[in-house]
Coordinates of all heavy atoms in Angstrom, one line a residue:
M1 N -1.8 -34.1 -33.2 CA -1.0 -34.5 -32.1 C -1.7 -34.0 -30.8 O -1.9 -32.8 -30.7 CB 0.4 -34.0 -32.1 CG 1.2 -34.6 -33.3 SD 2.9 -34.1 -33.2 CE 2.9 -32.7 -34.3
P2 N -1.9 -34.9 -29.9 CA -2.6 -34.5 -28.7 C -1.8 -33.6 -27.7 O -2.4 -33.0 -26.8 CB -3.0 -35.8 -28.0 CG -2.0 -36.8 -28.5 CD -1.6 -36.3 -29.9
F3 N -0.5 -33.6 -27.8 CA 0.3 -32.8 -26.9 C 0.7 -31.5 -27.4 O 1.3 -30.7 -26.8 CB 1.6 -33.6 -26.5 CG 2.4 -34.0 -27.7 CD1 3.3 -33.2 -28.3 CD2 2.2 -35.3 -28.2 CE1 4.0 -33.6 -29.4 CE2 2.9 -35.7 -29.3 CZ 3.8 -34.9 -29.9
R4 N 0.2 -31.1 -28.6 CA 0.5 -29.8 -29.2 C -0.6 -28.8 -28.8 O -1.7 -29.0 -28.8 CB 0.5 -29.9 -30.7 CG 1.1 -28.7 -31.4 CD 1.0 -28.8 -32.9 NE -0.1 -27.9 -33.3 CZ -0.7 -28.0 -34.4 NH1 -0.4 -28.8 -35.3 NH2 -1.7 -27.1 -34.7
A5 N -0.1 -27.6 -28.5 CA -1.0 -26.5 -28.1 C -1.7 -26.0 -29.3 O -1.1 -25.8 -30.4 CB -0.2 -25.3 -27.5
S6 N -3.0 -25.8 -29.2 CA -3.8 -25.3 -30.4 C -3.4 -23.9 -30.8 O -3.2 -23.0 -30.0 CB -5.3 -25.3 -30.1 OG -5.6 -24.3 -29.1
G7 N -3.2 -23.7 -32.1 CA -2.7 -22.5 -32.6 C -1.3 -22.2 -32.5 O -0.8 -21.1 -32.8
Q8 N -0.5 -23.1 -31.9 CA 0.9 -22.9 -31.6 C 1.7 -24.1 -32.2 O 1.1 -25.1 -32.4 CB 1.2 -22.8 -30.1 CG 0.5 -21.6 -29.5 CD 1.1 -20.3 -29.8 OE1 2.2 -20.2 -30.2 NE2 0.3 -19.2 -29.7
R9 N 3.0 -23.9 -32.3 CA 3.9 -25.0 -32.7 C 4.7 -25.4 -31.6 O 5.9 -25.7 -31.7 CB 4.7 -24.6 -33.9 CG 4.0 -24.4 -35.2 CD 4.9 -24.1 -36.3 NE 4.1 -24.1 -37.5 CZ 4.7 -24.1 -38.7 NH1 6.0 -24.1 -38.8 NH2 3.9 -24.1 -39.8
I10 N 4.1 -25.4 -30.4 CA 4.8 -25.8 -29.2 C 3.9 -26.8 -28.4 O 2.7 -27.0 -28.7 CB 5.2 -24.6 -28.3 CG1 3.9 -23.9 -27.8 CG2 6.1 -23.7 -28.9 CD1 4.1 -22.8 -26.8
T11 N 4.5 -27.5 -27.4 CA 3.7 -28.5 -26.7 C 2.9 -27.8 -25.6 O 3.2 -26.6 -25.2 CB 4.7 -29.5 -26.0 OG1 5.5 -28.8 -25.1 CG2 5.5 -30.2 -27.0
L12 N 1.9 -28.5 -25.1 CA 1.1 -28.0 -24.0 C 1.9 -27.7 -22.7 O 1.7 -26.7 -22.0 CB 0.0 -28.9 -23.7 CG -1.1 -29.1 -24.7 CD1 -2.0 -30.2 -24.4 CD2 -1.9 -27.8 -24.8
L13 N 2.9 -28.5 -22.5 CA 3.8 -28.4 -21.3 C 4.6 -27.1 -21.4 O 4.7 -26.3 -20.4 CB 4.7 -29.6 -21.1 CG 5.4 -29.7 -19.8 CD1 4.5 -29.7 -18.6 CD2 6.3 -30.9 -19.8
L14 N 5.2 -26.8 -22.6 CA 5.9 -25.6 -22.8 C 5.0 -24.4 -22.7 O 5.4 -23.3 -22.1 CB 6.7 -25.6 -24.1 CG 7.5 -24.4 -24.4 CD1 8.6 -24.2 -23.4 CD2 8.2 -24.6 -25.8
L15 N 3.8 -24.5 -23.2 CA 2.9 -23.4 -23.1 C 2.5 -23.1 -21.6 O 2.5 -21.9 -21.2 CB 1.6 -23.7 -23.9 CG 0.5 -22.7 -23.8 CD1 0.9 -21.4 -24.6 CD2 -0.8 -23.3 -24.4
A16 N 2.3 -24.1 -20.9 CA 2.0 -23.9 -19.4 C 3.2 -23.3 -18.7 O 3.0 -22.4 -17.8 CB 1.6 -25.2 -18.8
F17 N 4.4 -23.7 -19.1 CA 5.6 -23.2 -18.4 C 5.8 -21.7 -18.7 O 6.1 -20.9 -17.9 CB 6.8 -24.0 -18.9 CG 8.1 -23.6 -18.2 CD1 8.3 -23.6 -16.9 CD2 9.2 -23.2 -19.0 CE1 9.5 -23.2 -16.2 CE2 10.4 -22.8 -18.4 CZ 10.5 -22.8 -17.0
V18 N 5.6 -21.3 -20.0 CA 5.6 -19.9 -20.4 C 4.6 -19.1 -19.6 O 4.9 -18.0 -19.1 CB 5.5 -19.7 -21.9 CG1 5.3 -18.3 -22.3 CG2 6.7 -20.3 -22.6
C19 N 3.4 -19.6 -19.5 CA 2.3 -18.9 -18.8 C 2.6 -18.7 -17.4 O 2.4 -17.7 -16.8 CB 1.0 -19.6 -19.0 SG 0.3 -19.4 -20.7
D20 N 3.2 -19.7 -16.8 CA 3.6 -19.7 -15.3 C 4.7 -18.6 -15.1 O 4.6 -17.8 -14.2 CB 4.1 -21.0 -14.8 CG 3.0 -22.0 -14.7 OD1 1.8 -21.6 -14.7 OD2 3.3 -23.2 -14.6
L21 N 5.7 -18.6 -16.0 CA 6.7 -17.6 -15.9 C 6.2 -16.1 -16.0 O 6.5 -15.2 -15.3 CB 7.8 -17.8 -16.9 CG 8.7 -19.0 -16.6 CD1 9.7 -19.2 -17.8 CD2 9.5 -18.9 -15.4
L22 N 5.3 -16.0 -17.0 CA 4.7 -14.6 -17.2 C 3.8 -14.3 -16.0 O 3.8 -13.1 -15.6 CB 3.9 -14.6 -18.5 CG 4.7 -14.7 -19.8 CD1 3.8 -15.0 -21.0 CD2 5.5 -13.5 -20.0
A23 N 3.1 -15.2 -15.4 CA 2.2 -14.9 -14.3 C 3.1 -14.6 -13.0 O 2.6 -13.8 -12.2 CB 1.4 -16.1 -14.0
L24 N 4.3 -15.0 -13.0 CA 5.2 -14.7 -11.8 C 5.8 -13.3 -12.0 O 6.5 -12.8 -11.1 CB 6.3 -15.7 -11.7 CG 5.9 -17.1 -11.2 CD1 7.0 -18.1 -11.3 CD2 5.4 -17.0 -9.8
G25 N 5.6 -12.7 -13.1 CA 6.1 -11.3 -13.3 C 7.3 -11.2 -14.2 O 7.9 -10.1 -14.3
Q26 N 7.7 -12.3 -14.8 CA 8.9 -12.2 -15.7 C 8.5 -11.4 -17.0 O 7.4 -11.4 -17.4 CB 9.3 -13.6 -16.2 CG 9.8 -14.4 -15.1 CD 11.2 -14.0 -14.6 OE1 12.0 -13.6 -15.3 NE2 11.4 -14.1 -13.3
T27 N 9.5 -10.7 -17.5 CA 9.2 -9.9 -18.7 C 9.2 -10.8 -20.0 O 9.7 -11.9 -19.9 CB 10.3 -8.8 -18.9 OG1 11.6 -9.4 -19.1 CG2 10.3 -7.9 -17.7
L28 N 8.7 -10.3 -21.1 CA 8.7 -11.0 -22.3 C 10.1 -11.4 -22.8 O 10.4 -12.5 -23.2 CB 8.0 -10.2 -23.4 CG 6.5 -9.9 -23.2 CD1 6.0 -9.0 -24.4 CD2 5.7 -11.2 -23.1
K29 N 11.0 -10.4 -22.6 CA 12.4 -10.6 -23.1 C 13.0 -11.7 -22.2 O 13.8 -12.5 -22.7 CB 13.1 -9.3 -23.0 CG 14.5 -9.4 -23.5 CD 15.2 -8.0 -23.5 CE 16.6 -8.2 -24.1 NZ 17.3 -6.9 -24.1
A30 N 12.8 -11.6 -20.9 CA 13.5 -12.6 -20.0 C 13.0 -14.0 -20.3 O 13.8 -15.0 -20.3 CB 13.2 -12.2 -18.6
V31 N 11.7 -14.1 -20.5 CA 11.1 -15.5 -20.8 C 11.6 -16.0 -22.2 O 12.0 -17.1 -22.3 CB 9.6 -15.4 -20.8 CG1 9.0 -16.8 -21.3 CG2 9.1 -15.1 -19.4
S32 N 11.7 -15.1 -23.2 CA 12.1 -15.5 -24.5 C 13.6 -15.9 -24.5 O 14.0 -16.9 -25.1 CB 11.9 -14.5 -25.5 OG 12.7 -13.3 -25.3
L33 N 14.4 -15.2 -23.7 CA 15.8 -15.6 -23.6 C 16.0 -16.9 -22.8 O 16.9 -17.7 -23.1 CB 16.6 -14.5 -23.0 CG 16.8 -13.2 -23.8 CD1 17.5 -12.1 -23.0 CD2 17.6 -13.5 -25.1
M34 N 15.2 -17.0 -21.7 CA 15.4 -18.2 -20.9 C 15.0 -19.5 -21.6 O 15.6 -20.5 -21.5 CB 14.5 -18.0 -19.6 CG 14.6 -19.1 -18.6 SD 13.5 -18.9 -17.2 CE 13.6 -17.2 -16.8
I35 N 13.9 -19.4 -22.4 CA 13.4 -20.6 -23.0 C 13.9 -20.8 -24.4 O 14.0 -21.9 -24.9 CB 11.8 -20.6 -23.0 CG1 11.3 -20.6 -21.6 CG2 11.2 -21.7 -23.8 CD1 9.9 -20.5 -21.4
G36 N 14.2 -19.7 -25.1 CA 14.7 -19.8 -26.5 C 13.7 -19.7 -27.5 O 13.9 -20.0 -28.7
L37 N 12.5 -19.2 -27.1 CA 11.5 -18.9 -28.1 C 11.6 -17.5 -28.6 O 12.2 -16.6 -27.9 CB 10.1 -19.0 -27.4 CG 9.6 -20.4 -27.1 CD1 8.3 -20.3 -26.3 CD2 9.4 -21.2 -28.3
N38 N 11.0 -17.2 -29.8 CA 11.0 -15.9 -30.3 C 10.2 -15.0 -29.4 O 9.2 -15.4 -28.8 CB 10.4 -15.9 -31.7 CG 10.5 -14.6 -32.4 OD1 10.2 -13.6 -31.9 ND2 10.9 -14.7 -33.7
R39 N 10.5 -13.7 -29.3 CA 9.8 -12.8 -28.4 C 8.4 -12.6 -28.9 O 7.5 -12.4 -28.0 CB 10.6 -11.5 -28.4 CG 10.0 -10.5 -27.5 CD 10.9 -9.2 -27.4 NE 10.2 -8.2 -26.7 CZ 10.5 -6.9 -26.9 NH1 11.5 -6.5 -27.6 NH2 9.8 -6.0 -26.2
N40 N 8.1 -12.7 -30.2 CA 6.8 -12.5 -30.7 C 5.9 -13.7 -30.3 O 4.7 -13.5 -30.1 CB 6.8 -12.3 -32.2 CG 7.4 -11.0 -32.6 OD1 7.4 -10.0 -31.9 ND2 8.0 -11.0 -33.8
V41 N 6.5 -14.9 -30.2 CA 5.7 -16.0 -29.8 C 5.3 -15.9 -28.3 O 4.1 -16.1 -28.0 CB 6.5 -17.3 -30.0 CG1 5.8 -18.5 -29.4 CG2 6.8 -17.5 -31.5
V42 N 6.2 -15.4 -27.5 CA 5.9 -15.2 -26.1 C 4.9 -14.1 -25.9 O 4.0 -14.2 -25.1 CB 7.2 -14.9 -25.3 CG1 6.9 -14.6 -23.9 CG2 8.2 -16.0 -25.4
K43 N 5.0 -13.1 -26.7 CA 4.0 -12.0 -26.7 C 2.6 -12.5 -27.0 O 1.6 -12.1 -26.4 CB 4.4 -10.9 -27.6 CG 3.6 -9.7 -27.5 CD 4.1 -8.6 -28.4 CE 3.2 -7.3 -28.3 NZ 3.8 -6.2 -29.2
K44 N 2.5 -13.3 -28.1 CA 1.2 -13.9 -28.5 C 0.6 -14.8 -27.4 O -0.6 -14.7 -27.1 CB 1.4 -14.7 -29.7 CG 0.1 -15.3 -30.3 CD 0.4 -16.0 -31.6 CE -0.8 -16.7 -32.2 NZ -0.5 -17.5 -33.4
I45 N 1.5 -15.5 -26.7 CA 1.0 -16.4 -25.6 C 0.5 -15.5 -24.4 O -0.5 -15.7 -23.8 CB 2.1 -17.3 -25.1 CG1 2.4 -18.3 -26.2 CG2 1.8 -18.0 -23.8 CD1 3.7 -19.2 -25.9
D46 N 1.2 -14.4 -24.2 CA 0.9 -13.5 -23.1 C -0.4 -12.8 -23.4 O -1.3 -12.6 -22.5 CB 2.0 -12.5 -22.8 CG 1.8 -11.7 -21.5 OD1 1.3 -12.3 -20.6 OD2 2.2 -10.6 -21.4
K47 N -0.7 -12.4 -24.6 CA -1.9 -11.7 -25.0 C -3.1 -12.6 -24.8 O -4.1 -12.2 -24.3 CB -1.8 -11.2 -26.4 CG -1.0 -10.0 -26.6 CD -0.9 -9.5 -28.0 CE -2.1 -8.6 -28.3 NZ -2.0 -8.0 -29.6
K48 N -2.9 -13.9 -25.2 CA -4.0 -14.9 -25.0 C -4.3 -15.1 -23.5 O -5.4 -15.2 -23.1 CB -3.7 -16.2 -25.7 CG -3.9 -16.2 -27.2 CD -3.7 -17.5 -27.7 CE -4.0 -17.5 -29.2 NZ -3.9 -18.9 -29.8
R49 N -3.2 -15.2 -22.7 CA -3.3 -15.4 -21.3 C -4.1 -14.3 -20.6 O -5.0 -14.5 -19.8 CB -1.9 -15.6 -20.7 CG -1.9 -15.9 -19.2 CD -0.5 -15.9 -18.6 NE 0.1 -14.6 -18.6 CZ 0.0 -13.7 -17.6 NH1 -0.7 -14.0 -16.6 NH2 0.6 -12.6 -17.7
L50 N -3.7 -13.0 -21.0 CA -4.3 -11.9 -20.4 C -5.8 -11.7 -20.8 O -6.6 -11.3 -20.0 CB -3.5 -10.6 -20.7 CG -2.2 -10.5 -20.1 CD1 -1.4 -9.3 -20.6 CD2 -2.3 -10.4 -18.6
A51 N -6.0 -12.0 -22.1 CA -7.4 -12.0 -22.6 C -8.3 -13.0 -21.8 O -9.5 -12.7 -21.5 CB -7.5 -12.2 -24.1
A52 N -7.8 -14.1 -21.5 CA -8.6 -15.1 -20.8 C -8.8 -14.7 -19.3 O -9.9 -15.0 -18.8 CB -7.8 -16.5 -20.8
L53 N -7.9 -13.9 -18.8 CA -8.0 -13.5 -17.4 C -9.0 -12.3 -17.2 O -9.7 -12.2 -16.3 CB -6.7 -13.1 -16.8 CG -5.7 -14.2 -16.4 CD1 -4.4 -13.7 -16.0 CD2 -6.3 -15.0 -15.3
Y54 N -8.9 -11.4 -18.2 CA -9.6 -10.1 -18.0 C -10.7 -9.7 -19.0 O -11.2 -8.6 -19.0 CB -8.5 -9.0 -18.0 CG -7.5 -9.1 -16.9 CD1 -6.2 -9.4 -17.2 CD2 -7.9 -9.0 -15.6 CE1 -5.2 -9.6 -16.2 CE2 -6.9 -9.1 -14.6 CZ -5.6 -9.4 -14.9 OH -4.7 -9.6 -13.9
T55 N -11.1 -10.6 -19.8 CA -12.2 -10.3 -20.7 C -13.3 -11.4 -20.6 O -13.1 -12.5 -20.1 CB -11.7 -10.3 -22.2 OG1 -11.2 -11.5 -22.6 CG2 -10.7 -9.2 -22.5
E56 N -14.5 -11.0 -21.1 CA -15.6 -11.9 -21.1 C -16.5 -11.6 -22.3 O -16.4 -10.5 -22.8 CB -16.4 -11.8 -19.8 CG -17.0 -10.5 -19.6 CD -17.7 -10.3 -18.2 OE1 -17.5 -11.2 -17.3 OE2 -18.5 -9.4 -18.1
K57 N -17.3 -12.6 -22.7 CA -18.2 -12.4 -23.8 C -19.5 -11.8 -23.2 O -20.0 -12.3 -22.2 CB -18.5 -13.7 -24.5 CG -17.3 -14.3 -25.2 CD -17.2 -13.7 -26.6 CE -16.1 -14.5 -27.3 NZ -15.9 -14.0 -28.6
S58 N -20.1 -10.8 -23.8 CA -21.4 -10.3 -23.4 C -22.5 -11.1 -24.1 O -22.3 -11.9 -24.9 CB -21.4 -8.8 -23.7 OG -21.4 -8.6 -25.1
E59 N -23.7 -10.7 -23.7 CA -24.9 -11.4 -24.3 C -25.0 -11.2 -25.8 O -25.5 -12.1 -26.5 CB -26.2 -10.9 -23.7 CG -26.3 -11.3 -22.2 CD -25.6 -10.3 -21.3 OE1 -25.4 -9.1 -21.7 OE2 -25.2 -10.7 -20.2
D60 N -24.6 -10.1 -26.3 CA -24.6 -9.8 -27.8 C -23.4 -10.4 -28.5 O -23.3 -10.2 -29.7 CB -24.8 -8.4 -28.0 CG -23.8 -7.5 -27.4 OD1 -22.9 -8.0 -26.6 OD2 -23.8 -6.3 -27.7
G61 N -22.5 -11.1 -27.8 CA -21.4 -11.7 -28.5 C -20.1 -10.9 -28.6 O -19.1 -11.4 -29.1
E62 N -20.2 -9.7 -28.0 CA -19.0 -8.9 -28.1 C -18.0 -9.2 -26.9 O -18.5 -9.6 -25.8 CB -19.3 -7.4 -28.0 CG -20.1 -6.9 -29.2 CD -20.4 -5.4 -29.1 OE1 -19.8 -4.7 -28.3 OE2 -21.2 -5.0 -29.9
T63 N -16.8 -9.0 -27.1 CA -15.8 -9.2 -26.1 C -15.6 -7.9 -25.3 O -15.3 -6.9 -26.0 CB -14.4 -9.7 -26.6 OG1 -14.7 -10.9 -27.4 CG2 -13.4 -10.0 -25.6
R64 N -15.6 -7.9 -24.0 CA -15.4 -6.7 -23.2 C -14.6 -7.0 -22.0 O -14.5 -8.2 -21.6 CB -16.7 -6.0 -22.9 CG -17.6 -6.9 -22.1 CD -18.9 -6.2 -21.8 NE -19.8 -7.1 -21.1 CZ -20.8 -6.7 -20.4 NH1 -21.2 -5.5 -20.5 NH2 -21.5 -7.6 -19.8
L65 N -14.1 -6.0 -21.3 CA -13.4 -6.2 -20.1 C -14.3 -6.5 -19.0 O -15.5 -6.1 -18.9 CB -12.6 -4.9 -19.7 CG -11.4 -4.5 -20.6 CD1 -10.9 -3.1 -20.2 CD2 -10.4 -5.5 -20.5
R66 N -13.8 -7.3 -18.0 CA -14.6 -7.7 -16.9 C -14.6 -6.5 -15.9 O -13.7 -5.8 -15.8 CB -14.0 -8.9 -16.1 CG -14.2 -10.2 -16.9 CD -13.6 -11.3 -16.0 NE -13.7 -12.5 -16.9 CZ -13.0 -13.6 -16.7 NH1 -12.1 -13.6 -15.6 NH2 -13.0 -14.6 -17.5
K67 N -15.7 -6.4 -15.1 CA -15.8 -5.4 -14.1 C -15.0 -5.9 -12.9 O -15.0 -7.1 -12.6 CB -17.2 -5.2 -13.6 CG -18.1 -4.5 -14.6 CD -19.5 -4.2 -14.0 CE -20.3 -3.5 -15.0 NZ -21.6 -3.2 -14.5
P68 N -14.2 -5.0 -12.3 CA -13.4 -5.4 -11.1 C -14.3 -5.8 -10.0 O -15.4 -5.3 -9.8 CB -12.6 -4.2 -10.8 CG -13.1 -3.1 -11.6 CD -14.0 -3.6 -12.7
E69 N -13.8 -6.7 -9.1 CA -14.6 -7.1 -8.0 C -14.7 -6.1 -6.9 O -15.7 -6.0 -6.2 CB -13.9 -8.4 -7.4 CG -14.0 -9.6 -8.3 CD -13.3 -10.8 -7.7 OE1 -12.8 -10.7 -6.5 OE2 -13.2 -11.8 -8.4
R70 N -13.7 -5.2 -6.8 CA -13.8 -4.1 -5.9 C -13.5 -2.8 -6.6 O -13.1 -2.6 -7.6 CB -12.9 -4.2 -4.7 CG -11.6 -4.9 -4.9 CD -10.9 -5.0 -3.6 NE -9.7 -5.8 -3.9 CZ -8.5 -5.5 -3.4 NH1 -8.3 -4.4 -2.8 NH2 -7.5 -6.3 -3.7

């Protein structure tokens, strides 16, 4: 299905909504209660979101934290 998020049993639109709420500073519990998703599902989404923001692949293929800009 083209509208399903990869690795999840939710739609891309719901995934984007959860990510937006987490980016605004909502807690995992608040998002899970608001949307009706299990807290572990929201936690998994948040971990992927944070990994995409703050990690990078090095030349040898290992994942490491990005250096801060300042």
Side-chain angles (χ1 to χ4, degrees):
M1 289 186 269
F3 54 86
R4 193 183 101 195
S6 68
Q8 301 285 337
R9 291 185 175 191
I10 60 175
T11 63
L12 290 170
L13 190 60
L14 182 59
L15 178 68
F17 184 57
V18 170
C19 288
D20 288 344
L21 288 174
L22 291 169
L24 289 173
Q26 295 288 323
T27 63
L28 297 176
K29 185 176 181 179
V31 173
S32 68
L33 289 174
M34 185 184 316
I35 296 178
L37 287 175
N38 188 314
R39 186 173 166 201
N40 293 330
V41 174
V42 176
K43 185 176 181 179
K44 184 178 176 182
I45 292 169
D46 193 32
K47 285 179 87 172
K48 283 186 178 183
R49 182 184 70 86
L50 292 173
L53 286 174
Y54 298 113
T55 60
E56 63 184 14
K57 294 274 185 180
S58 62
E59 292 83 26
D60 55 354
E62 292 183 16
T63 303
R64 60 181 178 166
L65 291 174
R66 290 186 186 157
K67 287 185 178 181
E69 294 178 6
R70 32 179 172 139

